Amino acid sequence: MASVTKTETAAAGPGTGGAGRRPAGGPRRIPRWRRSARPYLLIIPALLLTGGILYPFGLGLFYTLFDYSAGKPQPDMVGLDNYLTIFGQDAFWRSALVTALYAVGATAVELVLGVGVALLLNRSTRLGRVLEKVLILPLMIAPVIAAIMWKLMLQPSVGVLNYLLRPFGLGDVQWTDTPTGALLSSITVDVWVYTPFVAILALAGLRSLPRSPFEAAAVDGAGWWFTFRKLTLPMLWPYVLVAVIFRFMDSLKVFDIIYALTEGGPGDSTVVLQIRAYLEAIRFQRYSFGISYMIILWAVVYLMSMVLVRYLGRVQSRAAGVSTK
């Protein structure tokens, strides 16, 4: 016994008596300075990403104070003259109107169709499960490719849509050759691509709703429309509003669908703010002017997103039973 005790004490190390020593293979003690530095190390990627975003944004904002262009290699500082000139142009207000019509029209149609599709798919049938898989196919296609596909289908002479409508006496529709037709065609492509996004979010919301209120309404003999208006829609509205925020913000800064389908034509009937900025900066080579358009568009998107997100917070609070004043 004495030899065993002596061996254990020697293994524990001198001056410790075997007490307070970390056993072999146990957790290693982390120094205090490392524990204190860990939070700061974890935010380094976020700081790098933030810097990568803010630096070009700040540089672009700085360039709007000059008159950079291809014909003026030595620009002068003009202050806010670029913004004042833009706000004084009829072209800007036409582009702003087209942008608003496009964003509101596309978002409204996608909202109605998306919620309708979600309600149909919420019925757990075999056909619904198949259509649920097919629903995401438009989201797997790049918007530019979708716009090119639709551009071919909308051709007045060789397009498949006019070919299908010819037996009904509607085979000569000029889909993208008139101002109204071009805008409606652009909205149609946007609806075809992004309605599945709204439907998927709405379907996820429907499947997360509690069943007890609907069972109680069925026992009381409530009809479908009453149940949808008084139960389904109020509880589903926070999910739908998230889809509206995403789609409305994305529609305000649309570029790819309209440019691939109409290039802003005919004339400037489908020139939204994003395309107007492209034309000023790239085609007309007035760089400061184009960047100023983008800063204005950023401000519009930022303000609209703040309003919608704040409204979403109030809706979520009401849905949770929290009083908002």
Side-chain angles (χ1 to χ4, degrees):
M1 289 293 294
S3 61
V4 173
T5 304
K6 185 182 296 184
T7 304
E8 292 176 351
T9 303
T16 62
R21 294 287 295 176
R22 177 176 60 87
R28 191 177 66 174
R29 183 178 178 83
I30 301 176
R32 180 177 298 178
W33 68 269
R34 289 182 58 183
R35 291 200 302 270
S36 301
R38 182 175 296 173
Y40 301 99
L41 294 176
L42 291 175
I43 66 172
I44 288 178
L47 292 176
L48 293 176
L49 180 61
T50 303
I53 294 173
L54 292 181
Y55 174 73
F57 177 80
L59 188 61
L61 189 62
F62 176 73
Y63 284 161
T64 61
L65 305 177
F66 294 82
D67 55 350
Y68 280 96
S69 65
K72 196 165 188 179
Q74 299 296 330
D76 299 322
M77 175 173 277
V78 295
L80 300 178
D81 285 353
N82 288 326
Y83 298 101
L84 298 176
T85 303
I86 288 174
F87 288 132
Q89 290 181 337
D90 292 337
F92 166 76
W93 296 108
R94 285 198 302 270
S95 296
L97 178 61
V98 173
T99 303
L101 291 175
Y102 182 93
V104 173
T107 305
V109 176
E110 289 164 10
L111 174 62
V112 174
L113 292 180
V115 173
V117 171
L119 290 172
L120 291 176
L121 294 180
N122 194 39
R123 303 174 182 270
S124 298
T125 62
R126 183 174 300 178
L127 179 61
R129 288 192 293 270
V130 173
L131 293 178
E132 187 177 340
K133 306 301 185 296
V134 178
L135 183 67
I136 64 174
L137 289 179
L139 291 175
M140 301 171 64
I141 301 175
V144 173
I145 303 301
I148 294 174
M149 290 167 47
W150 277 87
K151 186 175 183 178
L152 295 175
M153 292 191 296
L154 295 173
Q155 287 292 327
S157 57
V158 298
V160 66
L161 290 183
N162 277 356
Y163 174 78
L164 295 175
L165 293 175
R166 195 163 289 125
F168 304 96
L170 301 173
D172 297 324
V173 180
Q174 305 296 318
W175 297 100
T176 58
D177 294 338
T178 61
T180 303
L183 182 60
L184 292 178
S185 299
S186 302
I187 292 175
T188 300
V189 177
D190 195 292
V191 168
W192 184 81
V193 173
Y194 292 109
T195 294
F197 174 78
V198 180
I200 290 172
L201 285 181
L203 183 60
L206 284 172
R207 291 180 175 175
S208 66
L209 299 181
R211 307 311 308 168
S212 54
F214 299 96
E215 294 172 355
V219 170
D220 292 340
W224 178 87
W225 175 245
F226 180 86
T227 303
F228 174 76
R229 188 165 51 92
K230 295 296 184 178
L231 292 178
T232 305
L233 192 58
M235 290 191 291
L236 185 64
W237 186 241
Y239 301 92
V240 174
L241 191 57
V242 171
V244 169
I245 292 173
F246 276 102
R247 288 305 313 133
F248 188 66
M249 295 301 103
D250 200 33
S251 298
L252 283 176
K253 52 187 181 65
V254 65
F255 176 84
D256 43 11
I257 290 178
I258 292 182
Y259 191 80
L261 187 66
T262 66
E263 296 187 12
D268 60 351
S269 58
T270 57
V271 175
V272 294
L273 289 175
Q274 187 91 304
I275 292 182
R276 180 71 67 184
Y278 165 80
L279 294 176
E280 292 289 347
I282 305 301
R283 185 168 297 180
F284 305 144
Q285 296 184 343
R286 294 187 291 187
Y287 308 123
S288 294
F289 227 57
I291 297 175
S292 299
Y293 265 99
M294 292 304 301
I295 294 298
I296 293 172
L297 178 59
W298 169 82
V300 171
V301 173
Y302 179 78
L303 292 175
M304 292 301 301
S305 63
M306 290 292 292
V307 172
L308 290 175
V309 169
R310 188 167 299 178
Y311 177 64
L312 173 63
R314 291 199 299 266
V315 169
Q316 289 176 335
S317 298
R318 285 198 301 265
V322 179
S323 175
T324 58
K325 296 183 180 180

